[in-house]
Amino acid sequence: MPDLLIELFSEEIPARMQARAADDLRKLVTDGLVEAGLTYAGAAAFSTPRRLTLSIDGLTAESQAVREERKGPKVGAPDKAIEGFLRGAGVAREDLEVRDDKKGQVYFAIIEKPGRMAADIIAEVLEKVIRNFPWPKSMRWGDGPLKWVRPLHSILCILSDEAGTEVVPLDVDGIVSGNTTQGHRFLAPDTFTVVNFDDYEAKLKRANVVLRADERAEAIWHDATHQAFAMGLEVVEDRGLLTEVAGLVEWPVVLLGQIDDAFLGLPPEVLQTSMKEHQKFFSVRNNVTGRIERFVTVANMETADTGATILAGNQKVLSARLADAKFFWENDLRVAKAGMQPWLDSLANVTFHNKLGSQKERIERIAALAREIAPSVGADPDLAEQAARIAKADLSSEMVYEFPELQGLMGRYYAAEAGLDAQIAAVCEEHYSPLGPSDDVPTAPVSVAVALADKIDTLTGFWAIDEKPTGSKDPFALRRAALGVIRLVLENDFRLELTGNLIKQITIIELSETVGRLQLTAKELRDALQTADVGLDPDKVVKDFILRRLGKERDAIDVNSLTTGAKSVNLLSFFHDRLKVFLRDKGIRHDIIDACIAMPGNDDLTLLVKRAEALAATLATDDGENLIQGFKRANNILTQAEEKDGVEYSYGADIKFAEDAAEKALFAALDAANAKITPAMEAQDFSTAMHAMAALRAPIDAFFTDVQVNADSALLRRNRLNLLSRIRNICLSVADLTKIDG
Amino acid sequence: MADKPRSFQEIILRLQTYWAAKGCAILQPYDMEVGAGTFHPATTLRALGSKPWAAAYVQPSRRPTDGRYGENPNRLQHYYQYQVLIKPSPPDLQDLYLGSLDAIGIDASMHDIRFVEDDWESPTLGAWGLGWEVWCDGMEVSQFTYFQQVGGHDCKPVSGELTYGLERLAMYVLGVDHVMEMPFNDPQTPIPLTYGDIFKQTEQEYSRWNFDVADTEVLLQHFVDAEAECQRILDAPAEDPKTGSKIIMAHPAYDQCIKASHVFNLLDARGVISVTERQAYIGRVRALAKACADAFVQTEAGGAAA
């Protein structure tokens, strides 16, 4: 059983692509070998900045011969059919056998595929893999057509076993495979031969190349933490940076450097970001002072002066970078201490989106909305409005222009420097949260109010101009914004009726050019929609409402072109879709959510989720599950009867016409359930209500067992149908059980 | 390993000598205002077509927005790039490049030289390539690019492009902290001149003009004129009625493209171009660059049959 070793040696591969490429190489080559009939015991892939390496052990020396029989057309079939069969089977006419079949004589092709030597298969597979490698970005070089991530220089490809080592012959556009490679670019540039993987890895190490990325990362982390520890300091952990740096060196040499005292007054995040983004340095913290005082850089080089020149160079570059950062910081502080007004003014010149106006206009909208939302989340309206006005001021600062990833955080520093309330400073940083599904959700009421207003304004804005996410395209991260609203509301257990806010923001945006500032409140809008007839076109309700509130601007507006109501309905259903995804991850079925979305008050997400949770809990019980069957049976009988009779059985079931014990018991049970459910629903105590509903299971089952609904007597039948309608009404008052699967 | 150079100009001279010895034609700077050495037709146009090419040159470059009145230690509105373009890119281009660092006194055994991913894209030239920024002890000293497309055309063969930011590189080699203090000629000569002696005043003058004085109305008109002239030149029939020969005027047209690009940079520095307009202007310059590239590949130098 030979072992296979492949190394693809190239110019420097981008660090971010290395791990994935090694994995792709392993997968593509092993898949190709297996498909061609070889098997192997194990495979491992490695990467350095200049090489992708694959080691496969226990490979079969050749593929097995395969014999396949294929049944063809009947003897005497048209020539065309026979020729087609020959082509498909890849055999000649004289090789066909004639055999007796049930229906007469039939041609058979015997296809013999001889076993192939592993080397032939490897050469074929590897060439194909090289030519079709899935690099995120690849390039040509020189005058060849070959594409690789950067110019490919050599291919090492050897099979080795006890008997020795053979090169697998391969020629990819003039790059001929061999059994040699080379070491570190500067420390050991000579070419050397390799006999197997162990030999390869050992010789590479002697030639100043650590093959394994995790070994390089570990060495870096070990040396960095030890050097820092020796000075009583601690390296700030950064996994992403560690992986990247391990991909930039073949021979890591850790150097601990000093940050000039002049820069120690900068916020630690600024030092950290500048050092990481520009120089790929680790930050080293003094845990006593909490300051970043030193840095770790990782060189790819050992020098006679043990890195002194390298470190001096790096310190110089860092000082120049930090001098820039300090310059920005000091300029920014001057503006911040004077109240940040120039920044706020200049946001008028920053376009948020060409159809949605400037950042300043957007901030105005957010401030108004934050004020309105504030009471629902327990925040002071004045404070929320003030915070919303300041929250994005740092977007104009020099530091954020240089390091956009520091937005919010710098705002917090600057708001504090401006002497603003600590709650406002916190809003600057927290109102962007949560950014992802695992990001922390702010809990401070003022932060929540502004965070909600910010996201709702973004969503309503893009809905107003019809820039909704489609398929995988979501350039404005609107799904993330909707999930943010959902998490802010649910995790803080706030009650917020969305519809009014959505209509209001969309209206304000749609009418902003003609009407200026509309004096509408979300509550008014929502109430208007709620009190309107059910089933009435939401657009019409909103239009009528807006028209009533407009003054002389009325003539300037083509009210019929407004689709505010439809947009808000569509946006609410977008929220519901995101909520379904969110709850599915928490184990709540989509049909359960649908059953609750169909109920009134579905724009209050907290209420909606409480209902869904209670329903899920109920359906998980034996009673709950069977109740659904009972409900569906009742509903089906009733619907059929209503269709047939052309009337609605909705009222008037009277116990005095009940004949059967089970029938009487059901009357009693429905009365009892009603007595519990009605007050429970009023108190939004879904658990109690659903518990009472589930208790109907036994009486309903007994009723269907003992009682014939479609009785001969029309009076009895009508009474029983009306009784079923009580079941339906009680159940539907809790959730729309018709939506439940099964 | 070469000894240490003593002045800015010595570094330039050594690069010229080195690349001349490696077979490059040593060209002179292009006689127009450009933002980078890449704009020189010896790079932009000669990267197109099938004909082999090897050239190296210094290119004075202007970035009006980078003006700092000569105060910033390394930011200038006028600076020098050293540019090498070889087509097809030779297999040992990385080694050739490292040899040039050695020639100017950077000893690879004492420094940490790294090739760090940097994809190059010029939206104004409709060009992109893959390569690296080259780091020496954490400082970017060069750009190293394999051109994949220029003016919307695939580069076949591929050119290898090296760009050295001369001031920054020289400051590092000479151990100078402020560009204005860097010796321009040999400090031991009877009349030693620093970079500041030559450029401090011009940096002040141009910074003021770029930021506050340049007449934006005139510049806007220049842009429109250059754009129109470029198009007019390219619209002229290929056959010259006077000589009866086929003369496609790719280079004169490209001059107008360069002009439009520089005028755009000046307008940008004057702060009269909004974020949305920016994209539109870049698109207009790119359209010119593409049209010039289309014209160049129809010429003999561009690889078309004569």
Side-chain angles (χ1 to χ4, degrees):
Chain A
M1 291 284 217
D3 298 333
L4 171 64
L5 175 64
I6 295 170
E7 182 204 61
L8 304 171
F9 182 83
S10 68
E11 296 178 12
E12 278 75 357
I13 307 167
R16 66 191 169 92
M17 300 178 187
Q18 291 166 16
R20 175 69 192 272
D23 206 44
D24 284 340
L25 178 67
R26 182 186 54 75
K27 187 165 186 336
L28 293 170
V29 171
T30 53
D31 283 358
L33 296 180
V34 168
E35 196 180 322
L38 296 179
T39 64
Y40 64 96
F46 311 92
S47 60
T48 79
R50 292 209 289 169
R51 54 200 100 217
L52 292 183
T53 300
L54 174 62
S55 166
I56 298 180
D57 52 54
L59 192 67
T60 39
E62 55 193 287
S63 65
Q64 297 222 318
V66 180
R67 185 188 151 94
E68 185 195 340
E69 292 188 357
R70 207 180 286 181
K71 185 176 163 188
K74 276 193 269 194
V75 173
D79 267 2
K80 274 216 166 129
I82 295 172
E83 275 161 24
F85 174 65
L86 291 173
R87 259 199 312 280
V91 294
R93 188 151 194 160
E94 53 269 29
D95 297 333
L96 292 180
E97 276 180 27
V98 175
R99 290 190 195 165
D100 287 326
D101 197 63
K102 276 172 254 168
K103 292 174 188 164
Q105 289 200 308
V106 174
Y107 285 116
F108 269 80
I110 313 298
I111 306 162
E112 305 260 9
K113 283 191 190 150
R116 294 174 68 202
M117 297 301 293
D120 293 342
I121 294 174
I122 293 163
E124 193 178 286
V125 168
L126 183 56
E127 175 167 358
K128 201 168 144 200
V129 169
I130 290 172
R131 289 193 188 280
N132 301 295
F133 203 80
W135 291 109
K137 258 186 189 173
S138 59
M139 54 161 271
R140 291 172 291 107
W141 61 96
D143 51 10
L146 191 62
K147 285 187 156 194
W148 199 246
V149 64
R150 293 293 184 275
L152 179 64
H153 279 270
S154 67
I155 300 169
L156 177 150
C157 189
I158 54 173
L159 274 171
S160 54
D161 56 17
E162 301 78 25
T165 301
E166 60 160 322
V167 171
V168 175
L170 179 69
D171 180 342
V172 184
D173 291 354
I175 305 170
V176 178
S177 60
N179 61 349
T180 61
T181 186
Q182 46 189 298
H184 188 278
R185 185 190 279 286
F186 301 107
L187 294 170
D190 292 340
T191 296
F192 54 88
T193 59
V194 171
V195 297
N196 58 35
F197 177 73
D198 291 341
D199 182 48
Y200 169 77
E201 190 177 14
K203 279 181 178 159
L204 274 182
K205 198 158 272 179
R206 281 205 291 282
N208 303 92
V209 175
V210 179
L211 177 64
R212 296 166 195 263
D214 52 358
E215 189 182 331
R216 294 193 300 272
E218 239 166 70
I220 292 167
W221 190 247
H222 176 270
D223 287 4
T225 47
H226 275 72
Q227 289 190 32
F229 182 75
M231 321 239 16
L233 305 170
E234 187 183 272
V235 184
V236 177
E237 195 168 334
D238 188 336
R239 285 271 136 202
L241 182 61
L242 184 59
T243 307
E244 185 183 2
V245 169
L248 287 171
V249 294
E250 293 200 309
W251 192 248
V253 175
V254 169
L255 300 169
L256 183 69
Q258 234 161 341
I259 299 170
D260 196 302
D261 285 347
F263 307 119
L264 294 181
L266 286 168
E269 295 88 349
V270 170
L271 286 171
Q272 222 171 312
T273 306
S274 176
M275 295 203 293
K276 173 184 175 170
E277 294 303 316
H278 294 308
Q279 302 302 134
K280 307 196 196 301
F281 290 169
F282 290 91
S283 296
V284 178
R285 183 168 47 210
N286 180 334
N287 274 341
V288 179
T289 61
R291 294 193 310 193
I292 306 287
E293 293 181 350
R294 288 177 178 248
F295 68 87
V296 160
T297 182
V298 182
N300 186 37
M301 194 64 194
E302 273 176 6
T303 60
D305 65 356
T306 61
T309 307
I310 296 173
L311 196 56
N314 274 287
Q315 276 173 188
K316 201 164 173 175
V317 180
L318 180 64
S319 289
R321 290 284 189 193
L322 294 182
D324 271 352
K326 189 167 179 237
F327 179 73
F328 301 144
W329 169 247
E330 284 167 357
N331 285 350
D332 285 350
L333 282 187
R334 264 194 295 279
V335 182
K337 284 179 173 155
M340 305 196 252
Q341 197 54 44
W343 288 344
L344 297 173
D345 293 342
S346 74
L347 286 175
N349 303 323
V350 180
T351 308
F352 169 65
H353 181 285
N354 56 10
K355 290 185 185 160
L356 294 173
S358 68
Q359 283 285 10
K360 195 183 166 101
E361 289 170 278
R362 179 167 136 77
I363 288 167
E364 286 293 318
R365 293 195 301 265
I366 295 172
L369 182 57
R371 180 178 191 89
E372 194 157 342
I373 291 176
S376 318
V377 299
D380 175 58
D382 289 338
L383 204 58
E385 182 178 343
Q386 194 194 351
R389 289 187 193 286
I390 294 294
K392 293 183 191 292
D394 66 340
L395 293 181
S396 300
S397 71
E398 294 184 26
M399 190 69 84
V400 173
Y401 182 83
E402 182 70 11
F403 299 113
E405 64 268 47
L406 291 179
Q407 73 173 20
L409 181 81
M410 295 320 296
R412 181 177 208 146
Y413 277 110
Y414 296 145
E417 291 289 341
L420 293 166
D421 189 306
Q423 293 179 70
I424 294 179
V427 168
C428 297
E429 185 177 5
E430 293 178 348
H431 81 283
Y432 292 106
S433 300
L435 287 172
S438 52
D439 197 20
D440 283 346
V441 170
T443 54
V446 188
S447 296
V448 174
V450 180
L452 280 171
D454 186 12
K455 291 168 181 62
I456 290 174
D457 181 73
T458 303
L459 287 159
T460 49
F462 286 102
W463 249 257
I465 61 168
D466 246 340
E467 291 269 6
K468 292 174 266 192
T470 51
S472 61
K473 287 209 185 84
D474 184 9
F476 305 107
L478 301 178
R479 292 194 178 99
R480 192 173 77 186
L483 179 63
V485 171
I486 290 169
R487 292 189 57 209
L488 279 162
V489 170
L490 295 185
E491 291 177 28
N492 285 306
D493 202 22
F494 288 133
R495 305 294 301 275
L496 184 69
E497 290 160 346
L498 279 173
T499 300
N501 291 305
L502 301 184
I503 299 173
K504 179 182 170 180
Q505 287 307 99
I506 293 175
T507 309
I508 287 172
I509 290 161
E510 289 193 321
L511 300 183
S512 60
E513 280 180 12
T514 28
V515 187
R517 187 77 167 277
L518 260 186
Q519 298 298 321
L520 306 174
T521 70
K523 187 169 182 325
E524 284 176 319
L525 280 159
R526 187 172 190 280
D527 289 348
L529 203 64
Q530 295 271 302
T531 51
D533 288 346
V534 180
L536 197 67
D537 177 8
D539 272 345
K540 190 170 171 351
V541 179
V542 176
K543 272 180 223 165
D544 291 348
F545 183 82
I546 294 168
L547 273 178
R548 280 204 303 280
R549 299 298 297 271
L550 288 178
K552 59 182 180 335
E553 305 93 346
R554 195 186 296 204
D555 297 337
I557 295 173
D558 177 10
V559 175
N560 289 323
S561 73
L562 291 179
T563 51
T564 319
K567 280 172 177 164
S568 76
V569 169
N570 184 282
L571 178 52
L572 183 62
S573 80
F574 180 74
F575 272 108
H576 288 151
D577 286 344
R578 302 329 297 164
L579 183 66
K580 280 187 207 173
V581 175
F582 179 72
L583 291 181
R584 190 179 58 208
D585 294 343
K586 299 202 176 305
I588 300 185
R589 294 186 342 232
H590 70 93
D591 57 328
I592 293 179
I593 305 164
D594 281 334
C596 299
I597 287 174
M599 303 303 289
N602 65 3
D603 68 329
D604 178 337
L605 302 179
T606 306
L607 187 72
L608 176 54
V609 171
K610 281 194 200 315
R611 193 191 290 266
E613 282 168 349
L615 183 55
T618 305
L619 292 186
T621 65
D622 194 41
D623 274 352
E625 200 185 328
N626 285 291
L627 173 79
I628 293 295
Q629 301 313 320
F631 163 79
K632 291 207 161 171
R633 191 164 169 191
N635 192 40
N636 287 342
I637 294 171
L638 198 51
T639 312
Q640 279 166 16
E642 285 178 336
E643 270 174 27
K644 182 167 161 238
D645 305 345
V647 291
E648 191 177 311
Y649 295 100
S650 54
Y651 184 70
D654 195 333
I655 193 164
K656 73 183 180 206
F657 300 116
E659 291 189 331
D660 202 280
E663 197 174 3
K664 287 178 182 152
L666 182 56
F667 269 101
L670 286 167
D671 287 342
N674 226 357
K676 283 187 191 160
I677 290 173
T678 309
M681 288 304 289
E682 269 166 24
Q684 296 175 346
D685 178 358
F686 300 116
S687 176
T688 302
M690 292 195 193
H691 200 75
M693 179 180 77
L696 289 171
R697 175 238 168 147
I700 291 175
D701 284 358
F703 173 80
F704 281 125
T705 312
D706 296 351
V707 180
Q708 171 88 25
V709 175
N710 286 313
D712 293 336
S713 150
L715 178 74
L716 282 185
R717 177 171 175 268
R718 188 168 64 242
N719 198 51
R720 285 173 185 166
L721 287 169
N722 281 328
L723 180 60
L724 292 189
S725 119
R726 285 195 62 191
I727 297 178
R728 178 166 73 181
N729 289 344
I730 284 187
C731 290
L732 290 183
S733 74
V734 176
D736 185 352
L737 298 187
T738 62
K739 307 261 191 216
I740 299 294
D741 293 342
Chain B
M1 162 64 209
D3 56 345
K4 290 255 174 214
R6 288 189 294 191
S7 66
F8 185 56
Q9 70 188 25
E10 191 180 346
I11 288 172
I12 295 175
L13 291 170
R14 287 196 193 183
L15 286 172
Q16 299 276 56
T17 309
Y18 177 83
W19 286 107
K22 297 297 174 191
C24 287
I26 303 301
L27 303 183
Q28 300 306 318
Y30 202 56
D31 59 342
M32 291 187 70
E33 298 140 311
V34 295
T38 308
F39 275 85
H40 195 307
T43 290
T44 313
L45 295 182
R46 295 292 175 156
L48 294 162
S50 56
K51 288 199 164 181
W53 182 257
Y57 54 89
V58 177
Q59 181 61 51
S61 306
R62 301 196 188 210
R63 287 193 185 162
T65 44
D66 279 354
R68 295 293 184 271
Y69 301 83
E71 299 298 330
N72 190 285
N74 53 21
R75 230 181 258 280
L76 301 159
Q77 58 83 40
H78 171 281
Y79 64 103
Y80 289 108
Q81 283 193 344
Y82 195 84
Q83 174 90 359
V84 179
L85 190 85
I86 306 180
K87 178 175 76 173
S89 64
D92 59 345
L93 189 57
Q94 279 188 315
D95 290 334
L96 286 172
Y97 167 74
L98 292 170
S100 75
L101 293 188
D102 188 72
I104 58 173
I106 296 180
D107 175 0
S109 74
M110 292 304 290
H111 294 275
D112 181 35
I113 297 169
R114 230 92 71 69
F115 292 85
V116 180
E117 178 190 14
D118 189 33
D119 300 345
W120 174 81
E121 192 183 359
S122 167
T124 39
L125 288 176
W128 68 276
L130 298 188
W132 311 273
E133 44 183 52
V134 185
W135 285 15
C136 177
D137 303 337
M139 189 180 69
E140 185 193 340
V141 289
S142 304
Q143 288 277 336
F144 191 129
T145 307
Y146 292 100
F147 277 5
Q148 303 295 300
Q149 249 190 12
V150 172
H153 291 261
D154 280 347
C155 297
K156 283 182 179 175
V158 168
S159 299
E161 183 209 44
L162 308 173
T163 304
Y164 306 73
L166 281 173
E167 282 82 356
R168 194 147 40 140
L169 179 62
M171 283 167 67
Y172 190 66
V173 171
L174 300 171
V176 176
D177 290 329
H178 198 296
V179 64
M180 293 301 170
E181 288 157 13
M182 179 163 63
F184 201 101
N185 62 358
D186 191 327
Q188 307 300 318
T189 50
I191 306 177
L193 294 168
T194 64
Y195 196 93
D197 290 332
I198 299 169
F199 287 119
K200 175 85 193 246
Q201 182 179 324
T202 54
E203 280 298 307
Q204 291 170 341
E205 293 177 7
Y206 278 104
S207 292
R208 182 176 178 197
W209 182 71
N210 292 338
F211 288 128
D212 300 320
V213 178
D215 186 328
T216 56
E217 287 305 312
V218 170
L219 289 173
L220 285 166
Q221 191 55 47
H222 281 349
F223 186 91
V224 174
D225 289 346
E227 188 181 36
E229 178 64 359
C230 180
Q231 210 51 62
R232 199 182 66 82
I233 296 170
L234 293 175
D235 287 344
E239 192 180 289
D240 173 27
K242 198 159 92 191
T243 61
S245 316
K246 178 185 164 198
I247 304 179
I248 295 170
M249 295 166 286
H251 286 82
Y254 181 62
D255 283 353
Q256 299 302 319
C257 170
I258 293 178
K259 205 170 272 184
S261 174
H262 179 63
V263 170
F264 161 71
N265 289 339
L266 284 170
L267 287 165
D268 200 22
R270 288 287 277 115
V272 294
I273 292 179
S274 74
V275 182
T276 32
E277 283 175 320
R278 234 186 112 74
Q279 286 313 312
Y281 272 101
I282 289 172
R284 284 162 76 180
V285 177
R286 180 169 56 238
L288 298 183
K290 282 190 165 169
C292 294
D294 293 345
F296 181 74
V297 297
Q298 305 297 318
T299 68
E300 201 185 330

